[in-house]
Amino acid sequence: MPELSQETERGRAGAPFGLAEVTGPSMVPTLRHGDRLLLRYGAVVRPGDVVVLRHPFQQDLLVVKRAVERREGGWWVLGDNPYAGGDSTDYGVVPDELVLGKAYFRYRPRPAGQRSPLALARWAFSAARPLLPDRSASRRLRAR
């Protein structure tokens, strides 16, 4: 399950925006290990948004998931990688107070050793992307 760096919590105290680093495979292909996220704390969450939340059973652990739908008591969240687990199928609905914010932008750092012009051009084209809501998330929920 993606864990976020402690920079996320340090930045939350005064600013509405923060940065986080993703670790783990549960949001592949949308997010990969090492990706950086730009977060907005307290943003309005809608179905399909990528959100940062506290793990319901281990609240010192921050995770990133996709908010699929509102249910009684909070949000049903899923990872984009159905084989990774660590989402609402394991721990149920996430209460609203545990959802910290919404991720708006993803930045993928340049891999070490990339020197060819073609490799640099590919990286430059795909390194930064907005995180758009995935409206197919509710279809994935019904399929589970």
Side-chain angles (χ1 to χ4, degrees), residues 71-90:
R71 292 191 176 179
E72 186 177 332
W75 282 96
W76 187 264
V77 296
L78 295 175
D80 286 357
N81 180 352
Y83 304 107
D87 53 25
S88 286
T89 57
D90 294 331

Side-chain angles (χ1 to χ4, degrees), residues 88-116:
S88 286
T89 57
D90 294 331
Y91 46 74
V93 174
V94 177
D96 289 324
E97 59 270 10
L98 296 183
V99 177
L100 300 177
K102 177 176 164 180
Y104 282 93
F105 195 77
R106 182 263 300 159
Y107 168 74
R108 191 161 285 154
R110 187 173 70 113
Q114 240 183 14
R115 292 202 168 106
S116 77

Side-chain angles (χ1 to χ4, degrees), residues 25-87:
S26 78
M27 288 297 289
V28 168
T30 306
L31 301 172
R32 292 190 224 156
H33 181 82
D35 284 354
R36 307 307 197 271
L37 302 176
L38 175 65
L39 312 171
R40 178 155 189 226
Y41 297 107
V44 175
V45 176
R46 293 188 171 82
D49 288 341
V50 175
V51 295
V52 174
L53 55 113
R54 290 187 183 281
H55 191 283
F57 301 140
Q58 198 176 349
Q59 293 187 9
D60 60 334
L61 179 66
L62 301 178
V63 295
V64 58
K65 298 292 177 192
R66 190 170 299 277
V68 177
E69 73 177 13
R70 269 314 255 127
R71 292 191 176 179
E72 186 177 332
W75 282 96
W76 187 264
V77 296
L78 295 175
D80 286 357
N81 180 352
Y83 304 107
D87 53 25

